[in-house]
Amino acid sequence: MAVVVRNTPRTDLAIVDQLGQYGVATIHEAQGRTGLCGPRLRPIYRPVRVAGNALTCEVAPGDNWSIHVAVELARPGDLLVVTPTSPCEDGYFGELLATSVIAHGVRGLVIDAGVRDVADLTRMGFPVWSRAVSARGTVKETPGDVQTPIVCAGAYVRPGDVVVADDDGVVVVPREQAAAVLERSRAREENEAAKRDLLSKGELGLDIYAMREKLAARGLRYVDEPGA
Amino acid sequence: MAVVVRNTPRTDLAIVDQLGQYGVATIHEAQGRTGLCGPRLRPIYRPVRVAGNALTCEVAPGDNWSIHVAVELARPGDLLVVTPTSPCEDGYFGELLATSVIAHGVRGLVIDAGVRDVADLTRMGFPVWSRAVSARGTVKETPGDVQTPIVCAGAYVRPGDVVVADDDGVVVVPREQAAAVLERSRAREENEAAKRDLLSKGELGLDIYAMREKLAARGLRYVDEPGA
Amino acid sequence: MAVVVRNTPRTDLAIVDQLGQYGVATIHEAQGRTGLCGPRLRPIYRPVRVAGNALTCEVAPGDNWSIHVAVELARPGDLLVVTPTSPCEDGYFGELLATSVIAHGVRGLVIDAGVRDVADLTRMGFPVWSRAVSARGTVKETPGDVQTPIVCAGAYVRPGDVVVADDDGVVVVPREQAAAVLERSRAREENEAAKRDLLSKGELGLDIYAMREKLAARGLRYVDEPGA
Amino acid sequence: MAVVVRNTPRTDLAIVDQLGQYGVATIHEAQGRTGLCGPRLRPIYRPVRVAGNALTCEVAPGDNWSIHVAVELARPGDLLVVTPTSPCEDGYFGELLATSVIAHGVRGLVIDAGVRDVADLTRMGFPVWSRAVSARGTVKETPGDVQTPIVCAGAYVRPGDVVVADDDGVVVVPREQAAAVLERSRAREENEAAKRDLLSKGELGLDIYAMREKLAARGLRYVDEPGA
Amino acid sequence: MAVVVRNTPRTDLAIVDQLGQYGVATIHEAQGRTGLCGPRLRPIYRPVRVAGNALTCEVAPGDNWSIHVAVELARPGDLLVVTPTSPCEDGYFGELLATSVIAHGVRGLVIDAGVRDVADLTRMGFPVWSRAVSARGTVKETPGDVQTPIVCAGAYVRPGDVVVADDDGVVVVPREQAAAVLERSRAREENEAAKRDLLSKGELGLDIYAMREKLAARGLRYVDEPGA
Amino acid sequence: MAVVVRNTPRTDLAIVDQLGQYGVATIHEAQGRTGLCGPRLRPIYRPVRVAGNALTCEVAPGDNWSIHVAVELARPGDLLVVTPTSPCEDGYFGELLATSVIAHGVRGLVIDAGVRDVADLTRMGFPVWSRAVSARGTVKETPGDVQTPIVCAGAYVRPGDVVVADDDGVVVVPREQAAAVLERSRAREENEAAKRDLLSKGELGLDIYAMREKLAARGLRYVDEPGA
């Protein structure tokens, strides 16, 4: 009794693409340290960065049938986000499926499971963040939900939320907050540029961030090595 | 009371080398989704692919003595397959052993344990699939069996079975089935080439594989987003 | 009630730099198979090698405050070694902190936790060995000890001990033993060069190391495959 | 910038208590195999079963401050559900906090982190499902959200959803579906009683569920052992 | 294309039952430290011990269909051994299946996956060794092989091999060796009884096993604490 | 080149025994949240509590030889603490060794590896904290250090330090601080008794610990559910 939801909302690609100019760490901070997928998701090649609208897909363990269903709903600028109903490291996705989703404008894959054909996917420049690499294929016996809210590596993702992924991992930005998070990411980056300049000259974070007093208040003590 | 078995059978290198032209995922499918080592075995560099006759070797935890014994039994075209009697991530194999086995025609190493000197091994182009990288060396106190059937990362391997390994992992082909699996791998690849062509033009797997009716029979329902 | 210890001893950089010419596996053997951090610490890029004086820093889970404190104590040639009081994979260290420590002569980072901005750190050529990569940032609420003895990934490290790290992992050399370990590393390497030459010509370790008799004494038996 | 939401809805305790008469496995099936927390959450003693209204609480790693905040919002029949913003096994909760929440009618704790004082908690009969047992205490420096939707061990939980937990694990029932799931749990249990009777007499599932034809259609073949 | 093999051989129950009087550790030693399943398999209750003829069953991830097939082949004295084709912690087996296999004389379950209804199974006294406890149910879409050789938690098991399991884990005795292993287990136990007597009187293993000379030969040195 | 150190200092048993009246969590807090072994060490039975002088022992992976050496150095009131040089879950210790150490007054075992014969050990009331239970035995080929400082599950332990272990885990108290930590544990317990009384009457930690103002200062906001 799986469900496929059509006509789900998406985030304006202009906003998606601008968010994609910021790193995952920056965006994660800019939205209050929320929305991060767990660090078990790693890119199959580096360096890499991509942003897209979440095209969500739930799969049974060892069964990739609903990925085929999801392809039909793909729109240019989508990023496929796949999660199994129970933990599985099988190779759900390979070069043939990549060929298929690329033809429909999908920009990459985030999957809390395994992928295969990673040499081909790397050569094709199709970015993937996965929990494992495994040649073990899957069956097509049990359909799962497509374009419904899912939990992927601990993050809650709804169709059309913005997903940004790079060497550091994967972050999900709720579509209602995408514009605001973009703004805060920009501000954060500018602020960091000023700090970087001071730090590269050797100034201390202790002074730039005025931490000394607060540290003393928390009981930090300086002592000298006994024999020094 | 360890045993070394001499004169074990091997698979014809002509077949081994042809199998080595196919990916691990393809061969795994071609032999009915069997024979795969678990995904904890990863290559130390990528891209990479190799095929060889299994030269099997069991080792005690933290003890690589029987690898030295195995070298004497190596024949050109062999691939060394090593498994510890209990899980261990120590560095059983490094640049000196690689120098030794290369001199005897060994093509690579599959080990459900750790390796070291990976910078050297990478520079030498000696392919290794391992569970870990660790500088921790091993002792030489307890010999293990050489050229007997073993379980390596969950796969059953006998001396002379064909082992193929690439970016996706490691697969074992029983020597009696090597020729048949080669044939089926070829057929599979040809079949996929036709599919790839259709998919790259945007045709859907749903249509190519005639899945729609079967999906409906399994209860898949399409609905529209409430607010759409 | 955290403590910062000033004026801790350091190892002579001449010795540190010479130790840095040997691999971690060699040094680990040369000091009697001790001092290795666990293999969960992996470099963010490869190939890589660095040696430095340990600048130790303990952090609370999800809190990188004391790293800022540590920067002030950094001296050229130091290698920052960070350990959390309980296991944590958050991204404690990124491009801004790297900019800061580089300005103070720090040569790299060993951390039994996560790092972020790994694309930037790789581009900057700042070597890092970590347990994870994670975009999840940290707070600054709880200071930890700086320049006190710590346990990092299972190894005991004191300020000013020599830390050498490469593709194989991380090893700690107690500062009192640094000169002696350097000497033994040299001797070991020379000994290995002779062995390498013999092995590359196809001579067997069984003969070079005179193992055959000892193996027989431990009960190793040679048999022929029944059907052979 | 943490938030505490007051006056969140709860599920009628009459329904909660009736759901608590069914096992987690039954309820999980009755709501279409959804809502299960991952199996890393285990009870500190067995046998055990409890049901309650979710009182949700997010905590920083190594910091249990917001649990103290949550206590004030507790109502009789609540079950405290705690999740850290990044994985942590520290002991967030012990005998003192248990004494406090029991005084406010809280029935148990589900936490994707560690607990301590488990000998006391067991003696007090306060049920806990946790990821770990750890004596390592936590600080009180960083507040987290209370009574907002959270992801706990992979399950999405909102305040006032019904949480049922037993020896098999933890399941979350969305409050809007609680009555319907109760009904389906009842029906399922009755259906199983009939099956149990047949099975205990030795009838085969193959026949009771009429599987033989479907298995043959999927290609299942029966053969005799060659030598038999 | 799954296969069910009928009329597979079994080990004489008289031998099975006598083997069941020895602990897993004893039997493991008695057969040369082979045949052990990995320690991830743990009993759902303790203390417990059982021995039986292996009734082997391979299952797809998240799919328990072939367990239903296996029931028909069960004979009194069998012990069901189940392994998934890729790692899975779902609850493949619960109280209904236990009711069914008990009716056919099955003595217990060894499964490298999850089980559920563990409160019921414990109450029924049906022994289970599993990798996990999970309420997550399975589907019935993909049959797997029954009564073929399998690898379970790293051990190679054939139908009719003897499986002995207790608080320490699970060991597999090849049926051809069952009688000999029984004999050696007996001898081992008698030998240990004599040792136990000496040890309980305070005699040292160093003396009983005459280890002192061998230890000195391996370089063991005794020193006194400097300040003592 | 292993070393056995004789005549190492021990902590006065009067202090050890009084420390053993406090829980691990209490002692851990009383010494500033240090000295805890990681939560992977779990007791083989519960409830349990023991305190003793650390008798330290390093072992090679899969080799328990030095435990036999350690027995000779045991004194009444000792607690054996064993750590492998690389991670290993083999069963290093069973009923025979327990018989031996009990005869020498050893009170229990803490081991960052596996144990076996746990049914016997439980029956004998010999407390063990281990990383795993495994029937896999060990060899006696490579001696390790006895009564030297070691790292056990992340904690630094010296001979004669006090080790306290209970249902919550294991904590190490440096012998120089044992008397002071005992004093602070007492004070802490008295302080908690007063708190417990207030909490059991329903008073809030928020008020008892005067947290409200500090929480507001850290930005905690209270809001009402929108629809409430």
Side-chain angles (χ1 to χ4, degrees), chain B residues 8-171:
Chain B
T8 50
R10 283 179 169 81
T11 305
D12 182 347
L13 276 184
I15 292 179
V16 171
D17 289 344
Q18 288 178 79
L19 272 170
Q21 294 173 5
Y22 297 93
V24 169
T26 296
I27 292 170
H28 171 61
E29 295 286 346
Q31 70 177 345
R33 292 184 178 156
T34 61
L36 213 56
C37 292
R40 64 177 178 250
L41 300 192
R42 295 298 301 145
I44 61 167
Y45 61 83
R46 287 178 48 201
V48 63
R49 183 179 297 163
V50 74
N53 274 301
L55 168 58
T56 69
C57 183
E58 200 176 58
V59 289
D63 190 313
N64 75 349
W65 210 6
S66 54
I67 299 182
H68 288 272
V69 175
V71 179
E72 191 176 25
L73 277 71
R75 296 290 168 270
D78 280 359
L79 193 73
L80 186 56
V81 182
V82 179
T83 199
T85 52
S86 66
C88 187
E89 300 198 333
D90 290 353
Y92 279 82
F93 187 100
E95 175 257 342
L96 278 187
L97 268 172
T99 301
S100 179
V101 300
I102 289 171
H104 290 266
V106 171
R107 296 177 171 182
L109 168 68
V110 168
I111 181 166
D112 191 17
V115 289
R116 59 184 188 174
D117 301 333
V118 293
D120 294 317
L121 298 175
T122 299
R123 190 178 37 73
M124 294 159 75
F126 184 78
V128 175
W129 286 256
S130 74
R131 178 195 192 116
V133 172
S134 171
R136 189 178 305 278
T138 49
V139 298
K140 288 169 187 57
E141 301 290 351
T142 311
D145 294 345
V146 174
Q147 292 287 56
T148 63
I150 59 175
V151 172
C152 181
Y156 187 68
V157 195
R158 299 165 311 158
D161 284 346
V162 185
V163 176
V164 184
D166 65 11
D167 293 34
D168 286 348
V170 181
V171 70

